RNA sequence: GGUCCCAUCGUCCAGUGGCCUAGGACACAGCCCUUUCAAGGCUGCGACACGGGUUCAAAUCCCGUUGGGACCGCCA
């Protein structure tokens, strides 16, 4: 039968995990999980100048944040290690020597260079791009081992993919032109090709390759902006792939079962923040209240709010009150600060927009409201409706001042929901502060 | 410049010769709901780059043009 699927994500530790890399890692992970195969993390640190341990750590942390766990790789270990190219030098040298002995490569100083054969067609069937064929004559000789003893990318990839038993090479489309070079090396060593599947590029709003200029480029920036891993995962999965139906908001598990490499699209995709916002909001709505609280809490703390003054249930319930308001955890935190503290309310509002006559009306209404036996939103609303009708006052004329006094904002969830959640005492305290209650 | 890749609404996807006067989602506009804003519901705007073929029939196949992109490093 088919052998176990083994795929790898092979970043070079010369920067943080950016959107493009995360996308590639994600598709590899999806393919491994879909097939019950192995997802391998391999660090391609052959650039001595730019590779650092710090970057390696950030990349791994970024993957963990996205939930892309690897079965073999640094930290985790595995039977095909080491998983850092700088630790596999003997392997690269061994095969390079072999190539030299067979006359397929030659030395130039301490470097070893592969001699490109002429007149050889190099072809492979890409799972997403179809058959791609190039004549070897269009290729130059390529360096295998650099003067510093390190292997080059195009060489090390071949050795490692073969030696690690990689069955599917899934990577960015920018590697399509590199593939024929690697094919020559596979051929020279008499090795079978893995299956290749190239992924479309991800572009910025200006349709140029995504870079720092396009805002968020490292996955951490998404975390800091208040996006949750599940939605970034969901969003990234939708770039270049779809299950074929209209379902766009899905869980990891659903993506795993639906994913098909053959359904990957060829056209480059533009990274659209608006869509990410929407997907994040959808995921936020689906969240368990306590989990949502964990997501929002750091942002409240960042704003200096006394989170610890309240019980977990109260805080979680406060967020539930928001009912989908806010596209990110950061926004949700900003939209709900008044549940955590009265301070920001006072900073935003001073009650000076209400004249004495209006205040008198508010005092009458609020006085009765505070005496309601049932401190529930529905009961308060019902009371407010009949009271406003009897007193010929518009609902908004009592609801808006109430909202301003309780939240300090002109925008909030239903004001009686807010009052209910704050509790009778806290509501009274705030109303009194503004002279809206005796 | 050489080689390779791509081309459906502003954006992400559906579409693999007839079901397409091209479908969904985001964004945008309007309406409904309504104590505000969201959410939700409804409606609207909006695309097969162009030109040739092939075929009874093409968004779907072929060729060309144009436009994008990638690679061409002792970077990965």
């Amino acid at each position: 039968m088919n052998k176990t699927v083994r795929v790898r994500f092979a970043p070079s530790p010369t920067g943080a995990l950016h959107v493009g890399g995360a996308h590639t890692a994600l598709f590899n992970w999806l393919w491994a999980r879909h097939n019950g195969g192995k997802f391998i993390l391999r660090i391609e640190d052959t650039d001595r100048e730019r590779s650092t341990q710090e970057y390696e750590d950030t990349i791994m942390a970024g993957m963990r944040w996205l939930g892309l766990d690897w079965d073999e790789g640094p930290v985790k270990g595995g039977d095909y290690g080491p998983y850092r190219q700088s630790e596999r030098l003997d392997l690269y040298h061994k095969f390079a020597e072999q190539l030299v002995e067979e006359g397929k490569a030659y030395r130039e100083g301490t470097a070893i260079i592969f001699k490109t054969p002429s007149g050889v067609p190099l072809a492979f069937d890409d799972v997403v791009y179809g058959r791609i064929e190039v004549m070897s004559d269009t290729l130059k000789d390529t360096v295998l081992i650099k003067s510093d003893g390190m292997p080059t990318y195009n060489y090390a990839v071949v050795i490692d993919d073969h030696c690690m038993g990689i069955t599917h090479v899934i990577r960015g489309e920018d590697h399509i032109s590199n593939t024929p070079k690697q094919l020559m090396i596979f051929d020279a060593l008499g090795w079978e090709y893995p299956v290749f599947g190239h992924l479309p590029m991800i572009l910025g709003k200006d349709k140029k390759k995504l870079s720092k200029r396009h805002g968020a480029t490292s996955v951490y920036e998404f975390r800091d902006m208040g996006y949750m891993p599940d939605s970034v995962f969901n969003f990234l999965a939708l770039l270049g792939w779809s299950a074929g139906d209209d379902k766009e908001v899905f869980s990891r598990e659903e993506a795993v079962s639906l994913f098909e490499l053959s359904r990957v699209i060829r056209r480059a995709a533009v990274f659209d923040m608006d869509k990410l916002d929407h997907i994040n909001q959808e995921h936020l709505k689906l969240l368990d209240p306590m989990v949502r609280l964990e997501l929002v809490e750091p942002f409240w703390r960042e704003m200096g709010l006394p989170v610890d003054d309240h019980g977990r249930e109260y805080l979680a319930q406060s967020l539930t009150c928001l009912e989908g308001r806010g596209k990110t955890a950061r926004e949700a935190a900003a939209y709900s600060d008044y549940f955590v503290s009265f301070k920001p309310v006072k900073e935003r509002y001073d009650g000076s927009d209400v004249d004495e006559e209006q205040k008198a009306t508010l005092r009458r209404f609020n006085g009765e409201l505070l005496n309601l036996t049932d401190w529930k939103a529905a009961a308060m609303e019902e009371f407010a409706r009949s009271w406003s009708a009897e007193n010929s006052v518009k609902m908004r004329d009592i609801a808006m001042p109430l909202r301003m006094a309780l939240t300090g904002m002109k925008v909030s969830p239903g004001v009686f929901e807010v009052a209910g959640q704050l509790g009778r005492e806290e509501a009274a305290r705030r109303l009194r502060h503004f002279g809206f209650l005796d």
Side-chain angles (χ1 to χ4, degrees):
Chain A
M1 257 322 286
N2 293 331
K3 40 185 181 177
T4 308
V5 166
R6 290 176 60 81
V7 296
R8 85 306 195 274
F9 173 52
S12 69
T14 53
L17 180 62
H18 53 89
V19 171
H23 182 250
T24 302
L26 178 53
F27 278 53
N28 273 284
W29 183 90
L30 240 19
W31 188 236
R33 296 292 170 261
H34 177 77
N35 292 292
K38 301 291 185 199
F39 176 55
I40 295 141
L41 174 61
R42 184 173 72 219
I43 303 296
E44 309 215 327
D45 57 349
T46 54
D47 184 339
R48 281 176 162 165
E49 298 284 298
R50 301 189 299 144
S51 299
T52 70
Q53 181 63 45
E54 287 67 43
Y55 281 135
E56 183 182 317
D57 292 339
T58 351
I59 288 169
M60 293 195 289
M63 288 173 69
R64 287 192 199 98
W65 182 74
L66 262 181
L68 307 179
D69 56 310
W70 54 99
D71 305 299
E72 295 173 27
V75 183
K76 189 94 180 179
D79 298 337
Y80 298 76
Y83 294 91
R84 219 170 262 119
Q85 290 188 326
S86 59
E87 294 166 14
R88 302 167 64 80
L89 267 27
D90 49 338
L91 209 53
Y92 309 129
H93 281 98
K94 180 181 133 197
F95 290 110
E97 289 300 337
Q98 181 186 322
L99 256 14
V100 172
E101 279 165 29
E102 292 172 355
K104 292 169 180 168
Y106 56 92
R107 282 176 210 285
E108 198 170 280
T110 49
I112 296 180
I113 301 174
F114 184 79
K115 195 187 298 169
T116 297
S118 65
V120 180
L122 299 163
F124 64 103
D125 292 296
D126 192 284
V127 192
V128 350
Y129 283 87
R131 188 169 186 78
I132 292 174
E133 193 166 347
V134 172
M135 284 306 285
S136 63
D137 307 69
T138 63
L139 271 28
K140 298 190 246 180
D141 284 3
T142 49
V143 175
L144 264 25
I145 302 287
K146 298 185 257 183
S147 301
D148 67 357
M150 294 300 251
T152 54
Y153 163 74
N154 281 119
Y155 173 59
V157 179
V158 173
I159 303 300
D160 288 339
D161 285 341
H162 173 79
C163 293
M164 290 182 171
I166 301 302
T167 57
H168 301 251
V169 171
I170 302 169
R171 65 205 343 175
E173 181 241 39
D174 49 340
H175 286 292
I176 279 190
S177 333
N178 284 324
T179 308
K181 299 174 197 167
Q182 296 164 20
L183 258 28
M184 289 192 302
I185 301 173
F186 273 106
D187 287 342
L189 259 9
W191 294 342
E192 248 179 68
Y193 301 162
V195 175
F196 292 98
H198 288 88
L199 271 18
M201 299 271 84
I202 297 178
L203 278 22
K205 204 84 183 155
D206 55 1
K207 302 225 176 176
K208 291 281 196 295
K209 195 172 174 180
L210 210 57
S211 71
K212 298 125 202 102
R213 305 189 13 238
H214 299 93
T217 170
S218 135
V219 296
Y220 283 117
E221 294 177 49
F222 290 100
R223 181 197 57 195
D224 296 343
M225 285 187 283
Y227 293 97
M228 51 189 285
D230 281 1
S231 40
V232 174
F233 179 107
N234 187 158
F235 175 70
L236 249 25
L238 246 20
L239 253 30
W241 174 79
S242 83
D245 55 17
D246 290 336
K247 195 170 172 59
E248 292 197 311
V249 176
F250 46 71
S251 67
R252 264 164 228 281
E253 293 69 34
E254 290 173 300
V256 166
S257 70
L258 263 22
F259 188 74
E260 280 301 337
L261 212 41
S262 59
R263 284 196 60 85
V264 172
I265 222 73
R266 284 176 281 275
R267 167 166 36 96
V270 173
F271 188 94
D272 182 15
M273 276 293 204
D274 287 333
K275 186 95 175 210
L276 208 211
D277 278 343
H278 173 254
I279 288 176
N280 195 248
Q281 188 169 29
E282 293 302 310
H283 278 273
L284 226 37
K285 282 193 219 169
L286 296 170
L287 239 40
D288 172 85
M290 280 303 178
V291 177
R292 188 186 294 122
L293 170 58
E294 281 170 33
L295 241 38
V296 175
E297 189 178 341
F299 296 102
W300 273 338
R301 291 192 189 281
E302 193 182 299
M303 290 185 273
L305 295 169
V307 178
D308 300 316
D309 289 358
H310 306 275
R312 309 299 293 173
E313 284 295 338
Y314 169 82
L315 293 170
Q317 182 56 36
S318 296
L319 292 175
T320 302
C321 271
L322 253 38
E323 284 181 293
R325 269 163 270 242
K327 296 178 191 307
T328 62
R330 183 180 282 280
E331 276 184 13
Y335 290 172
S336 59
D337 60 356
Y338 50 84
F339 281 123
V340 189
S341 167
F342 186 29
K343 196 176 163 218
V345 178
K346 288 183 282 193
E347 285 167 359
R348 284 193 289 262
Y349 183 63
D350 62 7
S352 64
D353 60 327
V354 179
D355 62 33
E356 284 311 316
E357 190 186 336
Q358 288 173 291
K359 277 187 185 172
T361 307
L362 290 173
R363 279 196 287 268
R364 279 201 296 133
F365 169 73
N366 289 331
E368 291 186 49
L369 182 74
L370 264 296
N371 283 327
L372 243 40
T373 47
D374 204 4
W375 192 250
K376 290 273 173 22
M380 286 187 256
E381 183 172 343
E382 194 186 336
F383 166 73
R385 284 194 192 290
S386 52
W387 194 92
S388 59
E390 285 166 23
N391 294 274
S392 306
V393 173
K394 280 183 190 156
M395 255 306 245
R396 59 172 305 142
D397 289 333
I398 51 177
M400 266 326 268
L402 190 55
R403 167 172 291 112
M404 290 308 298
L406 298 182
T407 71
M409 299 182 187
K410 49 189 190 304
V411 163
S412 83
V415 71
F416 301 114
E417 301 290 338
V418 173
Q421 172 63 12
L422 282 172
R424 199 189 299 260
E425 276 184 34
E426 180 63 18
R429 176 183 159 222
R430 296 187 182 189
L431 289 169
R432 261 189 212 102
H433 174 86
F434 294 109
F436 293 176
L437 179 68
D438 287 318

